[in-house]
């Protein structure tokens, strides 16, 4: 099943994992919506800045360190995701607990690995 995914912490820098996540999500046929602070695009998809309204979100995959996540708590939950993926280095017990209390599935995993092994 294809999953509409918000990549929070997206960047136009092709050396960053958030960039690769968008690229690989698209390659596997998922709808990837990059959201970040820098302007640019990934594989022709513009990076949205700020906290854009997005409907029909299945997954939010995080590429923000825990300190920067606090500013996005309300935004993340406004997207009404079914799942929240904490990529390596983004683990945040406070946000994980909040998500679980709201019935959002929490995964501590690497989006790139999940895609490559067919477990996304």
């Amino acid at each position: 099943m294809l999953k509409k995914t918000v990549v929070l912490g997206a960047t136009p820098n092709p050396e960053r994992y958030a960039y690769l996540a968008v690229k690989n999500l698209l390659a596997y046929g998922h709808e990837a919506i990059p959201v970040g602070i820098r302007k640019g695009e990934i594989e022709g998809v513009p990076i949205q800045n700020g906290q854009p309204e997005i409907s029909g979100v299945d997954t939010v995959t995080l590429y923000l360190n825990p300190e920067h996540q606090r500013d996005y708590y309300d935004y993340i939950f406004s997207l009404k995701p079914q799942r929240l993926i904490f990529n390596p280095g983004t683990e945040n017990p406070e946000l994980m607990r909040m998500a679980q209390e709201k019935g959002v599935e929490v995964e501590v995993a690497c989006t790139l690995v999940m895609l490559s092994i067919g477990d996304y």
Side-chain angles (χ1 to χ4, degrees):
M1 183 176 119
L2 299 180
K3 297 179 170 96
K4 186 174 191 176
T5 303
V6 171
V7 179
L8 194 54
T11 171
N13 181 345
E15 296 178 7
R16 305 292 296 190
Y17 289 116
Y19 181 99
L20 295 173
V22 173
K23 184 176 176 178
N24 287 3
L25 284 162
L26 294 169
Y28 281 90
H30 298 281
E31 183 179 353
I33 300 147
V35 176
I37 58 171
R38 293 192 175 86
K39 296 192 182 299
E41 63 179 44
I42 302 170
E43 299 290 303
V45 179
I47 296 172
Q48 297 191 38
N49 304 122
Q51 299 184 359
E53 285 188 39
I54 304 165
S55 61
V57 173
D58 178 84
T59 300
V60 173
T61 185
L62 293 170
Y63 288 92
L64 293 172
N65 74 44
E67 285 180 22
H68 292 114
Q69 291 171 17
R70 269 203 186 91
D71 294 335
Y72 291 92
Y73 285 3
D74 290 339
Y75 176 64
I76 290 167
F77 295 119
S78 78
L79 297 172
K80 298 181 172 59
Q82 303 299 304
R83 175 172 67 162
L84 190 53
I85 299 174
F86 290 85
N87 288 278
T90 67
E91 299 88 347
N92 178 344
E94 179 181 48
L95 182 54
M96 291 175 182
R97 181 182 44 74
M98 292 169 66
Q100 289 168 332
E101 288 172 358
K102 294 179 183 294
V104 176
E105 179 186 349
V106 169
E107 291 201 46
V108 178
C110 174
T111 297
L112 298 172
V113 171
M114 292 172 74
L115 286 164
S116 72
I117 64 172
D119 193 30
Y120 190 78

